[in-house]
Amino acid sequence: DAGVIQSPRHEVTEMGQEVTLRCKPISGHNSLFWYRQTMMRGLELLIYFNNNVPIDDSGMPEDRFSAKMPNASFSTLKIQPSEPRDSAVYFCASSPRTGALYEQYFGPGTRLTVT
Amino acid sequence: AQSVTQPDIHITVSEGASLELRCNYSYGATPYLFWYVQSPGQGLQLLLKYFSGDTLVQGIKGFEAEFKRSQSSFNLRKPSVHWSDAAEYFCAVAPASGGSYIPTFGRGTSLIVHP
């Protein structure tokens, strides 16, 4: 079975540009998470969705960040405009059961570099 | 709020040697506890979890962890390390009740295995 799919795997962009990261969760999973990983701050939860509805976006760093989940099989994380401090690895994860959100299946991540 | 401390940033062991990775948590009650592993270029994978009952839990890949309430610890162990165990290991904690069970992750411990 395919796991969580993220694209692109690597993204290099210039400061001020819009960046869109994409995620396809595992089929049948009803919760989806976006994380950011940096050396300085470790792994941070940005936002999570349940049944395509955003439940908690308190981890989204600022208004430049937005996330959508238009259907059960696709989500995007957008940064506009991007800044060098946004450079990080962004992970998407999905979970099969609402009552067991610790059981998460992670994608391979998107390494974002903003110059 | 719950928090997790992994005191060792890096651990180096020889192949075949035993391993113990330390994890301490801070929480008002006994939480759910987890260990995840992140192989190079990959997302996190759940190794094992503790909810209640037997304080020694077995996980995948030959790993085990022991919950010690008196020390607020949940250390990960393996009796004989293989070169393929080289990875980043994350301890995580989630509330055992009244919450979403979304884990809070520690900063991680990087395991280096010498031949």
Side-chain angles (χ1 to χ4, degrees), chain B residues 41-65:
Chain B
Q42 301 297 316
L44 280 67
Q45 179 185 18
L46 182 63
L47 270 180
L48 51 77
K49 58 185 182 286
Y50 172 78
F51 290 160
S52 63
D54 192 345
T55 56
L56 185 64
V57 294
Q58 303 296 320
I60 61 172
K61 306 186 182 196
F63 286 90
E64 65 179 27

Side-chain angles (χ1 to χ4, degrees), chain A:
Chain A
D1 290 337
V4 175
I5 299 172
Q6 291 186 247
S7 65
R9 291 294 307 275
H10 301 273
E11 177 79 38
V12 180
T13 190
E14 292 184 348
M15 178 177 173
Q17 297 299 305
E18 177 179 297
V19 175
T20 299
L21 311 182
R22 297 173 175 79
C23 174
K24 178 179 170 56
I26 294 172
S27 177
H29 285 196
N30 57 13
S31 297
L32 183 141
F33 310 82
W34 282 101
Y35 289 90
R36 178 173 65 177
Q37 185 179 42
T38 61
M39 290 292 293
M40 292 294 294
R41 301 173 69 88
L43 192 66
E44 304 173 277
L45 176 65
L46 300 178
I47 186 171
Y48 88 93
F49 295 84
N50 189 46
N51 293 324
N52 313 337
V53 176
I55 303 300
D56 184 356
D57 65 354
S58 59
M60 296 286 264
E62 48 197 278
D63 292 345
R64 297 185 297 107
F65 286 68
S66 62
K68 294 182 179 178
M69 192 166 185
N71 56 61
S73 59
F74 184 65
S75 177
T76 59
L77 178 67
K78 185 177 295 185
I79 308 172
Q80 166 63 19
S82 59
E83 296 183 3
R85 61 192 168 118
D86 301 331
S87 297
V89 180
Y90 291 82
F91 288 102
C92 176
S94 66
S95 180
R97 295 179 293 149
T98 303
L101 296 179
Y102 55 82
E103 185 181 348
Q104 298 183 17
Y105 296 79
F106 282 73
T110 295
R111 182 173 295 277
L112 173 64
T113 302
V114 183
T115 61

Side-chain angles (χ1 to χ4, degrees), chain B residues 7 11 31 63 70 97:
Chain B
I11 290 283
F63 286 90
S70 61
S97 63

